[in-house]
Amino acid sequence: MTDKFARLTIDGSDNTIDLPILSGNLGPDVIDVRSLGSSGCFTYDPGFLSTASCESKITFIDGGKGILLHRGYPIEQLADQSDYLETCYLLLNGELPNEQEKAEFENTITQHTMVNEAMARLFRGFHHDAHPMSMMCGAVGALSAFYHDSLDISNPEHRKTSAHRLIAKIPTLAAMCYKHHIGQPFMYPRNELSYSENFLHMMFGTPCDEPNVNPIIARAMDKIFLLHADHEQNASTSTVRLAGSSGANPFACIASGITALWGPAHGGANEAVLKMLDEIGSVDNIDEYVLKAKDKNDPFRLMGFGHRVYKNFDPRAKVMKETCAEVLNELGINDPQLAIAQRLEQIALEDEYFIERKLYPNVDFYSGIIMKAIGIPTDMFTVIFATGRTVGWIAHWNEMVSESYKIGRPRQLYTGYEARDYQTMDKR
Ligand code: CMC
């Protein structure tokens, strides 16, 4: 309960409504408007600019200060000292695992990495030049057709098994998207490899060879997964929660998250960044593109810049930038796109337009260059984002379903026709 209220006076009536103000542990207070509907008014907030859609204990972002915490732990510390699977355990369970818990969790995930063999037939039905994200949307949704034994969402054990299955099988499906695309045989997972090594083996290995994964690349891959693991109530996570609020099964909910992630304003930005750097082509053309980005009549935006929540810097971008430099250095790659990216970042950070609007490089700005160095093709970038983010989606879905929740059902400000009579064909 609270003793703080916001008093709302509705114009043209004597009616005042006291709305409770709720405080979280960190971040702004929220005005609880749930009782407002009974007074005949709704709040109006398209794009959720000022709306907290749920209560959560998983991830905290302070966009002004550039802070990102998972279960209280700063992302920089996790990127530096943890690994992706340990971070998955943390997001799902709320605490870091001890040695035994970590080993058990890694073993469980490893045991679940294979997918039903019929999934290979499903993939063969896709056209070879299908975008990998289109295959991912279909393949992840299809998992619910195979794993009926863990679909009772009211059963915590079923939810746990589904969570493990999703985290384990998504990299297998992601690699299948790529193999189908390039016409190579699907690779089975190998239990002796770590999560990221296994993914790289399934992507780049062939049945003719034993696994041979470069440890530098595996470390970079792991960091990319970790940096994408969760980001509180973004568009795709909110989509997963909304789908889950109807009681839909977890595989269907994660498939809905993947579809929401695909757009260039969200996870599709990493692919769009590389296309943009390609289009810019040379450092000499940057000024022209910066002018285009600032022109209100030109739809062009600098991809990889700006964020709804971060108005200082994106802490993930800082780590990603360092990882990018490390990877290119260790692999001895001199990528001309990196020079364009660095110059673009510098110009944008000094330009009044970007400063005024607090537009800083986001996580997607550097991740594409690392993935390119690793050998991952551009149209797989968003699939990689989806792979890393699966744990965040499932942690949020599980948090919601574990407690009492209502179906998500927003209302609207209707601006269409008032009631009118049906017109027969001869009168139209
Ligand atoms: N380039 C040029 N101008 C921009 C950009 C950009 N990338 N982003 C925002 N603006 C301008 C925009 O035109 C507007 O200007 P004005 O106030 O004069 O009308 C102002 O900045 C505010 O923009 P907005 O679209 O109202 O901001 P938003 O919070 O609704 O959108 C965003 C956030 C991320 C969708 C947007 O910044 C964007 O489209 N960025 C490029 C795509 C991108 O990199 N997305 C990845 C986000 S991080 C990964 C993830 O979590 O998904």
Side-chain angles (χ1 to χ4, degrees), residues 19 22 400:
L19 299 165
L22 310 178
M400 183 185 76

Side-chain angles (χ1 to χ4, degrees), residues 162-177:
S162 288
H164 293 160
R165 281 181 167 151
L166 276 156
I167 294 166
K169 292 180 199 307
I170 295 261
T172 311
L173 296 180
M176 288 173 89
C177 292

Side-chain angles (χ1 to χ4, degrees), residues 6 14 47 140 159 264 306:
D14 300 334
V140 174
R159 294 202 299 270

Side-chain angles (χ1 to χ4, degrees), residues 49 231 234 261 264-270 273 293-294 296 300-309 311 314 316 353-354 357 359 362-364 385 389:
L49 295 173
H231 214 226
N234 52 78
L261 186 77
H266 192 8
N270 51 18
V273 169
K294 288 160 43 172
K296 284 270 149 270
F300 176 79
R301 282 188 166 198
L302 281 191
M303 299 316 287
F305 276 79
H307 198 275
R308 170 63 63 77
V309 183
K311 299 300 174 196
D314 179 341
R316 302 168 301 170
Y353 173 94
F354 293 89
R357 290 168 181 75
L359 300 170
N362 57 48
V363 68
D364 290 321
F385 191 152
R389 181 57 57 84

Side-chain angles (χ1 to χ4, degrees), residues 223-234:
K223 209 168 270 193
I224 290 174
F225 286 146
L226 187 153
L227 288 171
H228 286 99
D230 188 39
H231 214 226
E232 55 118 303
Q233 314 310 323
N234 52 78

Side-chain angles (χ1 to χ4, degrees), residues 20-243:
I21 297 180
L22 310 178
S23 299
N25 290 345
L26 293 169
D29 288 347
V30 300
I31 301 172
D32 179 351
V33 296
R34 280 174 292 182
S35 62
L36 199 56
S38 57
S39 69
C41 275
F42 298 127
T43 55
Y44 178 61
D45 186 19
F48 298 102
L49 295 173
S50 304
T51 294
S53 62
C54 64
E55 187 184 318
S56 181
K57 295 182 173 63
I58 301 173
T59 289
F60 172 76
I61 302 174
D62 183 329
K65 295 193 183 126
I67 291 173
L68 169 60
L69 309 176
H70 290 324
R71 302 288 192 179
Y73 295 103
I75 189 68
E76 295 87 346
Q77 290 181 22
L78 292 171
D80 195 33
Q81 297 172 58
S82 181
D83 57 51
Y84 179 65
L85 275 193
E86 186 180 73
T87 302
C88 288
Y89 183 98
L90 173 70
L91 288 166
L92 290 173
N93 299 292
E95 295 298 338
L96 287 167
N98 63 27
E99 217 172 318
Q100 190 193 338
E101 288 163 338
K102 186 168 156 80
E104 274 171 20
F105 184 68
E106 286 175 359
N107 185 48
T108 306
I109 298 299
T110 305
Q111 298 305 324
H112 278 299
T113 46
M114 264 196 322
V115 293
N116 190 297
E117 196 62 15
M119 290 300 285
R121 290 203 294 280
L122 180 90
F123 270 95
R124 290 194 180 101
F126 290 121
H127 201 262
H128 69 90
D129 62 359
H131 193 286
M133 277 298 276
S134 62
M135 293 189 255
M136 272 307 265
C137 299
V140 174
L143 287 178
S144 46
F146 295 99
Y147 302 104
H148 305 281
D149 58 333
S150 64
L151 295 186
D152 177 1
I153 64 165
S154 63
N155 181 331
E157 279 310 309
H158 279 212
R159 294 202 299 270
K160 196 164 154 186
T161 304
S162 288
H164 293 160
R165 281 181 167 151
L166 276 156
I167 294 166
K169 292 180 199 307
I170 295 261
T172 311
L173 296 180
M176 288 173 89
C177 292
Y178 177 59
K179 289 298 197 191
H180 180 68
H181 193 51
I182 59 169
Q184 281 189 1
F186 299 129
M187 295 294 289
Y188 291 123
R190 295 282 293 242
N191 285 359
E192 76 273 25
L193 300 178
S194 73
Y195 190 84
S196 298
E197 285 170 343
N198 208 359
F199 171 66
L200 291 166
H201 167 64
M202 291 186 288
M203 281 283 291
F204 301 118
T206 69
C208 316
D209 303 305
E210 278 305 294
N212 180 19
V213 178
N214 179 332
I216 298 165
I217 294 184
R219 245 196 343 268
M221 195 69 248
D222 199 75
K223 209 168 270 193
I224 290 174
F225 286 146
L226 187 153
L227 288 171
H228 286 99
D230 188 39
H231 214 226
E232 55 118 303
Q233 314 310 323
N234 52 78
S236 55
T237 304
S238 300
T239 303
V240 170
R241 280 187 180 258
L242 195 55

